[in-house]
Amino acid sequence: MLSGIHHVALICSDYQRSKHFYVTVLGLQIIAENFRAERDSYKLDLSTPDGATQIELFSFKERPPRPSYPEALGLRHLAFKVVDLDKAVAHLQSNNIQCEPIRVDEYTGKRFTFFADPDDLPLELYES
């Protein structure tokens, strides 16, 4: 029935800051950017480098904070595939983004780390 994940939708607190993070720092490509005047809100459609998945970045003036710690029920984190985890971590750190220590998945033997977007949404880099 399902053939893949089409998109993940995120709501940000500061549109320009988050746009910079996802486009400039993480390197996602802009597909479309729309300002919805009736909602006083932006919708930014982004594509991962492989083109397989999109991220919709929304800005809304009224939004409650997301409970994360302790971990809340629901979506836990968004994980991105990377070929070279050390290089990706170095890139994030050069942009003043802190990463957790690199760990090894006990079941797959693959390396991964966590970091956060400008709104402290949990993101993961997973070496493929």
Side-chain angles (χ1 to χ4, degrees):
M1 183 175 88
L2 303 178
S3 62
I5 294 177
H6 181 267
H7 71 269
V8 175
L10 304 175
I11 299 172
C12 65
S13 64
D14 181 323
Y15 179 73
Q16 293 303 328
R17 180 178 70 171
S18 291
K19 178 182 174 182
H20 172 79
F21 175 80
Y22 284 98
V23 173
T24 304
V25 176
L26 295 187
L28 300 181
Q29 300 297 311
I30 295 174
I31 299 169
E33 182 176 28
N34 295 288
F35 180 73
R36 302 173 308 166
E38 70 283 359
R39 299 180 86 178
D40 194 21
S41 169
Y42 280 95
K43 180 181 183 282
L44 181 64
D45 296 316
L46 302 166
S47 177
T48 56
D50 64 4
T53 306
Q54 295 178 18
I55 292 180
E56 293 179 341
L57 184 64
F58 292 94
S59 67
F60 295 113
K61 290 202 180 267
E62 301 298 324
R63 74 247 167 255
R66 178 190 188 276
S68 286
Y69 299 102
E71 292 188 44
L73 180 66
L75 184 63
R76 186 172 183 187
H77 61 264
L78 174 59
F80 295 102
K81 293 188 290 187
V82 295
V83 174
D84 185 335
L85 184 60
D86 297 312
K87 185 176 178 181
V89 167
H91 172 74
L92 291 174
Q93 290 173 336
S94 73
N95 283 278
N96 298 315
I97 298 167
Q98 300 299 314
C99 295
E100 292 182 3
I102 292 174
R103 294 185 264 169
V104 177
D105 185 312
E106 63 183 297
Y107 301 108
T108 66
K110 301 288 186 173
R111 297 180 330 135
F112 65 95
T113 188
F114 286 94
F115 63 107
D117 85 346
D119 288 304
D120 284 332
L121 294 175
L123 302 175
E124 178 183 1
L125 297 178
Y126 195 89
E127 197 168 51
S128 59

